[in-house]
């Protein structure tokens, strides 16, 4: 079974983002970018399926600017077999919407015929949590979101999902889209020899036009603003003083 | 314009707080019809009919809708969509599972975690773990939206909207529910609690989390946790507060042994009053705390619990 893993290049999760002064967006110039943390978990899971003999090939795909190549090379260094880059934006500030990404991925799925798509549950930049579900809808496939455990059992997958009240286990028909949560696994680091080898692995470059998909946004960003600042607080010297302050504020 | 609101129904019971907050958010957009779907949903539908601002309730009961698997539930909603300009739900894991699927079936974008409604086409939503607020205008004919409930007050009760029974869509039969492992809790639900006490890595062990729980029980609070505490096995996943866990905005949030990483702040920085107890005076949590106490939590928390009696 072939496994397809969509990965996204996003601002590094440790970077404190800055809103541009003209409110046109978040400043991404000269900021450290990395693979979306959830996508690392998806890549790791795909590689583990390959190591268990369940997956025959792992294909990583990324959509965005040409620098997303680096993200794909990271996936290849972790153990993916080959990569597809869809050059869909000229500027790093252009975020292709989940609907367009899902449409492009649906075309890639048609071409590649994977038995499973493993993706991250959300990208930490747009915080949408939608692409996997949208792809599943477009393909008419089953979906298992927020997975913390995945067991492939022949023509089905048994997936434990992180839901609000605890955990839910579902069984889905394959092929399926599984979106992964934080606790599914601990992604591996790419070793230096593997990083070198990854440079020789195949990476195909495509454009949205190759797939006949229109990537223009449905949502126009009117403005991007800073969240309201909290008023500066105070440090108290003792538990007594804390209780007193809380009582004054009517909080207890 | 009319709004279809997917009620949050778990095992036949309505999650009143989440649903009532979504009703408040949706009212600005038009007449609100609530859809209660599940293998048993009639009681939840009857309760939803009492929420102020609900014009009508539709109840869809079918075995295929039990546990609201995404495929049959999304098919049901997409089948009803022609009569509505907006399809909305509270941003729970159920809705995040279902609504993007509905949106793609209708060939429209989804607006996730909307925190404010500007007008019928324009909405605010937090991005980058809440470090920026994006104002977006949708050009889609239908808007599919999940609301960040922490940003809205719950609508009151007292109304009596008519209830209509509808049938489920054909089950595509793509998935099956196997089991639920529900975390038992007598405490208030995290996302609707007035007070939340959260513990982080600094608590040190699952056993020591008891001092967090004791303080919470004293205050009638819900218990939360940072990702570090959850990953270390001190607390269950569904207690996690943050970008990838739950987003809360209680009257009082007490963070104990939590450094205040960006991802944690994303889930609690809209709380009315934030208290931080941490022995590291440089911890970023003190930058958002109204009241900070630099102290050893193993001394300060039991003392605080004591003083509050």
């Amino acid at each position: 079974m072939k496994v397809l893993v969509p990965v996204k290049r996003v601002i590094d999760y440790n970077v404190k983002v800055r809103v541009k002064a003209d409110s046109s967006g978040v400043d991404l110039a000269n900021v450290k970018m990395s693979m979306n943390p959830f996508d690392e978990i998806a890549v790791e899971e795909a590689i583990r399926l390959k190591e268990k003999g369940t997956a025959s090939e792992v294909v990583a795909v990324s959509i965005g600017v040409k620098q997303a190549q680096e993200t794909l090379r990271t996936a290849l260094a972790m153990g993916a077999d080959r990569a597809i880059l869809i050059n869909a934006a000229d500027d790093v500030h252009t975020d292709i919407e989940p609907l367009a990404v899902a449409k492009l991925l649906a075309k890639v799925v048609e071409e590649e015929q994977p038995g499973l798509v493993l993706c991250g549950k959300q990208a930490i930049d747009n915080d949408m949590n939608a692409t996997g579900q949208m792809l599943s809808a477009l393909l008419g496939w089953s979906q298992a979101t927020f997975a913390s455990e995945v067991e492939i059992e022949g023509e089905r997958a048994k997936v434990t999902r992180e839901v609000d009240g605890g955990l839910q286990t579902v069984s889905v028909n394959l092929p399926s889209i599984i979106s992964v949560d934080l606790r599914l696994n601990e992604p591996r680091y790419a070793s230096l020899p593997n990083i070198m080898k990854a440079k020789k692995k195949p990476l195909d470059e495509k454009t949205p036009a190759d797939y006949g998909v229109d990537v223009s946004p449905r949502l126009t960003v009117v403005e991007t603003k800073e969240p309201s600042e909290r008023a500066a607080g105070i440090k108290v010297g003792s538990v007594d003083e804390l209780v007193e302050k809380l009582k004054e504020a009517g909080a207890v | 314009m009319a709004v279809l609101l997917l009620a949050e129904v778990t095992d036949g019971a309505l999650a009143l707080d989440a649903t009532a907050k979504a009703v408040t958010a949706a009212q600005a957009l038009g007449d609100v019809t609530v859809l209660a779907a599940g293998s048993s949903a009639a009681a939840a539908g009857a309760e939803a009919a009492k929420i102020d601002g609900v014009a009508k309730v539709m109840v869809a009961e079918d075995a295929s809708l039990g546990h609201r698997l995404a495929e049959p539930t999304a098919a049901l909603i997409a089948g009803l969509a022609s009569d509505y300009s907006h399809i909305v739900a509270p941003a729970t894991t159920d809705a995040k599972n279902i609504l993007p699927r509905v949106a793609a079936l209708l060939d429209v974008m989804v607006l996730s975690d909307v925190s404010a409604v500007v007008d019928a086409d324009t909405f605010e939503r937090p991005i980058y773990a809440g470090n920026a607020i994006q104002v977006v205008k949708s050009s889609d004919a239908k808007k599919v939206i999940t609301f960040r409930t922490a940003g809205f007050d719950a609508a009151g009760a007292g109304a009596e909207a008519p209830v209509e029974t509808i049938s489920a869509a054909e089950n595509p039969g793509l998935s099956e529910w196997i089991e639920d492992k529900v975390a038992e809790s007598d405490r208030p639900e995290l996302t609707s609690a007035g007070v939340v006490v959260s513990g982080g890595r600094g608590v040190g062990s699952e056993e020591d989390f008891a001092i967090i729980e004791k303080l919470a029980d004293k205050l009638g609070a819900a218990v939360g946790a940072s990702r570090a505490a959850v990953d270390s096995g001190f607390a269950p996943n569904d207690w996690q507060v943050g970008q990838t866990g739950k987003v809360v905005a209680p009257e009082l949030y007490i963070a104990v042994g939590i450094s205040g990483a960006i991802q944690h702040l994303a889930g609690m920085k809209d709380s009315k009053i934030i208290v931080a107890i941490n022995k590291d005076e440089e911890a970023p949590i003190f930058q958002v705390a109204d009241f900070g106490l630099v102290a050893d939590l193993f001394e300060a928390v039991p003392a605080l619990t004591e003083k509050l009696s």
Side-chain angles (χ1 to χ4, degrees):
Chain A
M1 173 173 78
K2 191 190 283 186
V3 180
L4 188 76
V5 189
V7 295
K8 185 174 185 182
R9 179 178 185 263
V10 298
I11 196 164
D12 189 84
Y13 73 99
N14 279 316
V15 174
K16 174 96 168 74
V17 302
R18 282 201 332 259
V19 174
K20 287 198 268 187
D22 65 357
S23 301
S24 64
V26 159
D27 194 356
L28 296 174
N30 306 315
V31 172
K32 187 184 177 203
M33 306 292 275
S34 304
M35 189 190 297
N36 180 42
F38 291 96
D39 303 347
E40 288 186 351
I41 295 168
V43 173
E44 175 65 32
E45 195 64 18
I47 295 161
R48 288 186 191 188
L49 288 175
K50 196 181 169 196
E51 287 167 347
K52 274 194 271 188
T54 312
S56 51
E57 189 184 25
V58 176
V59 182
V61 51
S62 193
I63 297 163
V65 291
K66 67 174 187 321
Q67 295 94 313
Q69 262 196 33
E70 296 155 22
T71 311
L72 288 168
R73 291 287 172 206
T74 305
L76 293 170
M78 286 173 75
D81 296 290
R82 59 191 174 83
I84 302 166
L85 171 64
I86 305 176
N87 275 312
D90 296 325
D91 175 16
V92 64
H93 292 94
T94 307
D95 186 40
I96 309 291
E97 287 174 353
L99 183 63
V101 170
K103 286 180 178 179
L104 285 167
L105 290 174
K107 296 285 184 188
V108 175
V109 165
E110 264 173 39
E111 221 170 72
E112 295 283 340
Q113 299 284 317
L116 178 66
V117 178
L118 275 168
C119 59
K121 84 161 177 182
Q122 74 189 62
I124 60 161
D125 53 0
N126 63 29
D127 282 333
M128 280 284 187
N129 193 335
T131 304
Q133 296 89 314
M134 290 186 137
L135 175 60
S136 171
L138 296 178
L139 294 167
W141 288 8
S142 64
Q143 70 180 53
T145 48
F146 328 141
S148 61
E149 221 181 303
V150 175
E151 273 176 69
I152 306 294
E153 302 171 327
E155 296 302 301
R156 301 184 72 84
K158 192 169 141 192
V159 180
T160 301
R161 308 177 50 233
E162 291 195 13
V163 295
D164 282 334
L167 298 171
Q168 179 188 65
T169 306
V170 294
S171 170
V172 295
N173 289 359
L174 292 177
S176 185
I177 313 289
I178 299 179
S179 84
V180 309
D181 216 318
L182 282 178
R183 271 162 286 275
L184 180 63
N185 61 44
E186 184 84 29
R188 71 192 64 188
Y189 289 101
S191 66
L192 188 59
N194 285 341
I195 292 170
M196 301 310 289
K197 272 186 227 158
K199 291 185 177 166
K200 298 202 177 85
K201 288 186 180 176
L203 192 155
D204 282 346
E205 290 202 44
K206 304 267 192 183
T207 66
D210 294 336
Y211 298 102
V213 172
D214 174 14
V215 297
S216 47
R218 303 291 187 88
L219 308 177
T220 312
V221 179
V222 180
E223 181 190 4
T224 304
K225 50 188 187 182
E226 295 267 8
S228 48
E229 285 283 317
R230 291 189 72 91
I234 54 160
K235 281 200 177 137
V236 294
S238 67
V239 171
D240 286 324
E241 198 186 336
L242 176 59
V243 172
E244 197 183 301
K245 292 283 182 200
L246 287 175
K247 283 187 176 152
E248 267 172 36
V252 292
Chain B
M1 281 193 287
V3 184
L4 180 66
L5 187 153
L6 176 66
E8 180 73 5
V9 182
T10 308
D11 289 334
L14 181 75
L16 180 61
D17 186 71
T19 307
K21 283 174 175 166
V23 169
T24 300
Q27 267 180 319
L29 302 168
D31 281 344
V32 179
T33 297
V34 171
L35 171 66
S39 53
S40 88
E47 203 184 344
K50 297 197 184 93
I51 301 172
D52 288 337
V54 173
K56 190 172 109 176
V57 172
M58 291 193 289
V59 172
E61 282 191 333
D62 191 82
S64 69
L65 299 170
H67 310 284
R68 280 144 307 135
L69 291 170
E71 303 88 346
T73 314
L76 168 69
I77 297 171
L80 298 169
S82 57
D83 295 337
Y84 302 94
S85 58
H86 295 74
I87 296 166
V88 307
T92 58
T93 49
D94 271 337
K96 287 178 175 178
N97 188 32
I98 297 165
L99 260 59
R101 189 174 180 100
V102 172
L105 291 174
L106 301 173
D107 191 27
V108 301
M109 254 301 282
V110 65
L111 292 129
S112 308
D113 268 314
V114 163
S115 52
V117 175
V118 179
D119 61 39
D121 307 307
T122 316
F123 305 90
E124 288 188 9
R125 53 180 307 270
I127 53 172
Y128 290 94
N131 285 299
I133 306 292
Q134 204 173 50
V135 184
V136 289
K137 189 174 168 67
S138 167
S139 60
D140 282 323
K142 285 184 200 303
K143 280 73 173 169
V144 176
I145 302 166
T146 59
F147 286 115
R148 174 165 285 204
T149 51
F152 300 94
D153 294 327
E160 223 171 295
V163 179
E164 178 191 319
T165 306
I166 59 163
S167 44
E170 199 182 328
N171 183 5
L174 295 166
S175 61
E176 270 170 51
W177 171 82
I178 297 184
E179 66 165 345
D180 278 339
K181 279 198 191 115
V182 180
E184 292 294 331
S185 176
D186 299 331
R187 297 196 181 92
E189 201 265 318
L190 190 52
T191 56
S192 56
V195 182
V196 174
V197 183
S198 284
R201 194 198 305 273
V203 178
S205 72
E206 192 182 353
E207 291 71 44
D208 285 331
F209 227 79
I211 67 169
I212 304 294
E213 298 182 51
K214 241 183 226 162
L215 175 57
D217 291 342
K218 180 74 80 175
L219 292 164
V223 181
S226 69
R227 182 184 169 193
V230 172
D231 283 352
S232 309
F234 305 168
N237 306 345
D238 53 299
W239 288 5
Q240 188 180 327
V241 171
Q243 184 182 19
T244 65
K246 296 197 169 86
V247 177
V248 302
E251 292 294 317
L252 175 61
Y253 187 91
I254 304 182
V256 181
I258 292 176
S259 64
I262 296 168
Q263 294 76 18
H264 184 75
L265 299 182
M268 46 64 80
K269 69 186 165 111
D270 291 328
S271 305
K272 295 265 168 20
I273 295 177
I274 298 173
V275 171
I277 301 175
N278 204 302
K279 66 181 176 194
D280 174 11
E281 61 178 316
E282 303 291 325
I285 191 78
F286 287 120
Q287 290 164 20
V288 300
D290 299 282
F291 304 115
L293 176 62
V294 180
D296 182 345
L297 68 94
F298 295 103
E299 283 162 23
V301 174
L304 181 59
T305 310
E306 178 83 5
K307 296 259 161 55
L308 288 170
S309 42

